[in-house]
Amino acid sequence: MLAINGGKPVRDTFLSYGKQSIDDDDIESVVQVLKSPFLTQGPVIEDFEEAIANYVGSSYAVCFSNGTAALHAAYFAAGIQEGDEVITTPITFVATSNAALYQGATPVFADIDESTYNLSVSKVKEKLTKKTKAIVSVDYTGQPVDYDPFSDLAKKHQLVYISDGAHSLGATYKGKKVGIQADMTMFSFHPVKPITAGEGGVIVTNHPLFRDRLRLFRSHGISKGNIKPDQGDWFYEMHELGMNYRMTDIQAALGLSQLKKIESFIKKRQQIASLYNEAFKEMEGLIIPSQLRNTTSGWHLYVIRLDLSKFKVNRKVIFDSLRAENIGVHVHYIPVYKHPYYQQMGLNSSCIHAEHLYNEMITLPLYPDMNKQDVKDVIKAVNKVLKEYLQ
Ligand SMILES: *Cc1c(COP(=O)(O)O)cnc(C)c1O
């Protein structure tokens, strides 16, 4: 009997959908900084920035207090301002488009591709106007978008191409790490993301001009400036209205130590995703995530899609039933323009594929520290619940 109807749940304890992996070396690395003279932006930030740039193969990396701050800085660096339009996907965390609003610009939502769930290039083309300033794609679930067509489109129309890679650090596109395909790429170090710094974010780029503007924005828009003859070493100048978006050395120390383990984290995620694929590929009413050729996913999320015509109940009942089995399922994401704030701002849109996906998807637990039994429990619970509700 299903747990939701009073039966025994598949698990006794709740399994969350995502979680950080912290070892003794991470703890030691943070303690070292706490004993050092610098707590906020000090030498470890530079080490971390260099390590991230080396890892993804970019010329520069600029760290921020979190991924949202990093996106805001990227939009600033791109020159996005009032009157501009930024085209992005509705299937993302609100931060992607909120950062456009911070700059006074208008987010415009283009629909997703039906099979990959990533932003569709052809739908972006339909939304281009004279006001379009930038395209922002999201590597949803860790699967890279098809970067080349986006890059080509941005170049053709002289737009800035920004990638929200919050899910995709360590993923690859055509044999190269995500991070060098767009003009600027953001990675987040929130605890559920591929690696964590507690909170944290970074923009990687190959353009020195963007690097300089990112650094300026991170620290109040202040630079040392040109010291005039009557001024001493106390002197500095504020050139732009920036923010205090600095990362601390404490965060950077954790990030640096985590980055050393990223390959093993991703391998573990890939293994779990393969086990899920194997278990679910023949299952009635369930569609497994389709992967683009020439890419490897970072598998930040494993999202199943339900063919609701095969079931007696809707997604909510299936979701609640899985939760009752103690499986920490989730839904990523509510199409951004559906949120009350966006509706009130007149930013409503109609992205049919995104809305269908939203009604039919469920995120299953996936993180490196899951053990074999955890994976088995998820598979068992999905089997149990879906079988019960098949027509
Ligand atoms: C997590 C996330 C962000 C924001 O990153 P934070 O570090 O939490 O501020 C932005 N976009 C997407 C797609 C995310 O998943």
Side-chain angles (χ1 to χ4, degrees), residues 66-69 71 92-93 95-96 138 164 166-167 186 188-190 193 199-201 300 333:
N66 56 66
T68 305
L71 278 173
T92 184
F93 183 56
T96 316
V138 176
D164 179 335
H167 301 180
M186 184 278 277
S188 162
F189 307 121
H190 178 277
K193 303 291 160 78
E199 292 273 5
H300 167 57
Y333 296 93

Side-chain angles (χ1 to χ4, degrees), residues 62-241:
V62 183
C63 281
F64 293 88
S65 46
N66 56 66
T68 305
L71 278 173
H72 185 190
Y75 291 15
F76 166 85
I80 294 167
Q81 56 186 335
E82 207 178 320
D84 291 337
E85 292 177 355
V86 176
I87 305 176
T88 191
T89 171
I91 297 295
T92 184
F93 183 56
V94 292
T96 316
S97 50
N98 282 354
L101 294 173
Y102 299 159
Q103 285 299 103
T106 305
V108 173
F109 297 98
D111 210 349
I112 55 167
D113 176 86
E114 260 180 302
S115 63
T116 63
Y117 314 152
N118 271 329
L119 184 62
S120 151
V121 182
S122 60
K123 293 289 159 59
V124 169
K125 280 184 193 156
E126 291 171 13
K127 299 278 180 178
L128 289 171
T129 71
K130 284 201 182 98
K131 292 179 174 174
T132 310
K133 177 80 184 177
I135 300 171
V136 184
S137 64
V138 176
D139 294 335
Y140 175 64
T141 71
Q143 170 168 219
V145 297
D146 194 2
Y147 275 103
D148 287 346
F150 281 110
S151 253
D152 293 345
L153 186 67
K155 281 202 187 88
K156 187 172 159 201
H157 296 273
Q158 293 179 308
L159 307 173
V160 182
Y161 179 26
I162 297 169
S163 167
D164 179 335
H167 301 180
S168 62
L169 182 63
T172 65
Y173 177 73
K174 297 191 172 171
K176 298 209 167 94
K177 290 252 157 53
V178 166
I180 53 168
Q181 296 79 10
D183 294 314
M184 289 181 267
T185 301
M186 184 278 277
F187 299 113
S188 162
F189 307 121
H190 178 277
V192 297
K193 303 291 160 78
I195 61 168
T196 189
E199 292 273 5
V202 69
I203 299 292
V204 294
T205 182
N206 286 334
H207 304 282
L209 190 74
F210 287 149
R211 174 205 59 193
D212 293 345
R213 285 180 61 79
L214 290 165
R215 286 181 180 162
L216 199 63
F217 193 69
R218 171 171 71 179
S219 216
H220 311 275
I222 285 173
S223 72
K224 201 71 186 130
N226 304 311
I227 301 179
K228 301 184 184 75
D230 57 340
Q231 309 285 341
D233 192 51
W234 70 79
F235 193 73
Y236 59 80
E237 286 176 330
M238 186 189 132
H239 290 273
E240 299 272 1
L241 186 60

